[in-house]
Amino acid sequence: MWIMHSDCFLSIVSKDCGPAELLVRARRNGDIEKVFPSAKVIKDAGTDYLYRAVIPRDAVKQAVAVMIDDIDYPNFKDSVEEKSLHAAYVGVWCAMAGLQHPPPDIERATHARSALTSKNTP
């Protein structure tokens, strides 16, 4: 499962952990700790995701529930303040929009693509 939060991106899988645990992975330093502050994060350059931590399943469930309860934005992409994370999410939005038939309104798609270069530009 991919979790795209306003300030972090996580990949959560059942791998290299016990049945009551999940492996939480991140590409950026600090993303796991934003959701799981007490996590023991391991950095491993020999893996697909550079950062990882084994977290109890119940703690993952609780954290996801908190994220859902904290949603207060009308547009997810607009809630992402960090420029590089926003650009990555717009790229995902565009890729997923390509799966929709019929595709989204071209004006909206163009606006999303332009956000790649304009978000948080001084």
Side-chain angles (χ1 to χ4, degrees), residues 13-61:
V13 296
S14 179
K15 177 182 178 182
D16 301 331
C17 61
E21 301 169 319
L22 290 167
L23 181 64
V24 178
R25 308 175 303 179
R27 300 214 179 271
R28 303 178 321 151
N29 186 28
D31 276 5
I32 294 172
E33 295 89 340
K34 288 177 182 174
V35 179
F36 305 99
S38 62
K40 181 180 176 186
V41 177
I42 296 168
K43 182 177 179 182
D44 185 351
T47 60
D48 182 25
Y49 287 83
L50 188 57
Y51 303 96
R52 51 193 55 228
V54 175
I55 308 287
R57 280 181 184 261
D58 286 341
V60 174
K61 288 179 196 177

Side-chain angles (χ1 to χ4, degrees), residues 59-121:
V60 174
K61 288 179 196 177
Q62 290 172 2
V64 171
V66 167
M67 286 184 212
I68 291 167
D69 287 345
D70 287 347
I71 293 173
D72 65 353
Y73 46 79
N75 179 290
F76 172 67
K77 291 186 307 301
D78 290 346
S79 76
V80 181
E81 295 180 6
E82 186 182 334
K83 186 176 180 179
S84 62
L85 187 61
H86 181 269
Y89 286 170
V90 169
V92 171
W93 183 93
C94 291
M96 296 307 293
L99 294 176
Q100 180 176 309
H101 297 287
D105 182 312
I106 190 66
E107 182 178 325
R108 182 175 175 191
T110 301
H111 172 73
R113 283 187 195 99
S114 71
L116 284 167
T117 55
S118 65
K119 180 75 173 169
N120 294 330
T121 305

